[in-house]
Amino acid sequence: MINFQYTRANDVADAVRQIAADPTAKFIAGGTNLIDLMKEDVERPTRLIDISRLPLKSVEETAGGGLRIGALVPNSDLAYHPLIERRYPLLASAILAGASQQLRNMASTGGNLLQRTRCYYFYDTATPCNKRYRRGEVRRRVQHEWPRLWQRRHIPHR
């Protein structure tokens, strides 16, 4: 993993100031996706700005009858929230089916929405990928390898 600075935002305005001052910085809350990407050398932020203690962990009813879900609500809290279970049972089921209990306890709702792609090429830094280019690199057209892999192994397509 790379060296990086770590800071904690005191409030939302402080988080905005910090990210504006360093465009290569990244916000971190649960970190379930970002830390993996840093380990694989896909992401290389110069600074991590911890936003996990900001007051964005509530689920509230809106005047129009909907719900406002805070970006830092852990997935496990969201899945078991009484309003979610009652009004949006499919969402609760999807969250519970989407990850292990350990990941649901750490992962934030906002982080899930901002999660980077899960493509095979994206995580393989030896393979060119149009979604994982860095400033100064030329985007290269990625040719899909899976059809050739299937042909080499003589596995019939369906």
Side-chain angles (χ1 to χ4, degrees):
M1 223 159 58
I2 61 156
N3 291 327
F4 57 89
Q5 295 177 340
Y6 172 86
T7 60
R8 177 172 286 138
N10 298 318
D11 54 35
V12 173
D14 183 37
V16 171
R17 274 192 300 277
Q18 288 190 50
I19 199 80
D22 186 356
T24 61
K26 296 282 184 186
F27 290 129
I28 187 166
T32 58
N33 186 234
L34 180 59
I35 299 301
D36 285 344
L37 293 174
M38 290 172 67
K39 286 178 184 176
E40 296 293 329
D41 201 33
V42 174
E43 287 285 352
R44 293 185 259 179
T46 56
R47 181 190 320 185
L48 294 181
I49 304 166
D50 187 343
I51 59 170
S52 64
R53 296 189 183 175
L54 298 182
L56 303 170
K57 294 183 180 178
S58 62
V59 177
E60 305 166 350
E61 292 189 74
T62 63
L67 295 177
R68 177 175 293 119
I69 300 169
L72 299 179
V73 174
N75 286 350
S76 54
D77 291 359
L78 186 63
Y80 292 114
H81 193 281
L83 291 172
I84 298 296
E85 287 182 318
R86 187 171 63 246
R87 292 188 193 175
Y88 305 102
L90 189 59
L91 175 60
S93 294
I95 292 169
L96 294 173
S100 68
Q101 183 176 352
Q102 293 88 347
L103 284 175
R104 287 193 311 266
N105 287 339
M106 288 298 299
S108 65
T109 302
N112 265 22
L113 294 174
L114 296 173
Q115 181 173 284
R116 299 294 303 268
T117 184
R118 295 282 185 178
C119 170
Y120 167 81
Y121 297 106
F122 184 79
Y123 280 93
D124 182 8
T125 56
T127 305
C129 173
N130 289 335
K131 291 187 178 247
R132 187 200 62 241
Y133 77 100
R134 294 180 177 91
R135 186 170 293 164
E137 289 182 5
V138 176
R139 285 187 182 207
R140 294 176 279 183
R141 183 174 172 83
V142 176
Q143 293 182 355
H144 202 292
E145 290 288 324
W146 287 110
R148 282 189 263 170
L149 290 174
W150 287 114
Q151 289 169 359
R152 278 188 227 144
R153 293 184 182 150
H154 305 291
I155 300 172
H157 297 337
R158 290 188 184 184

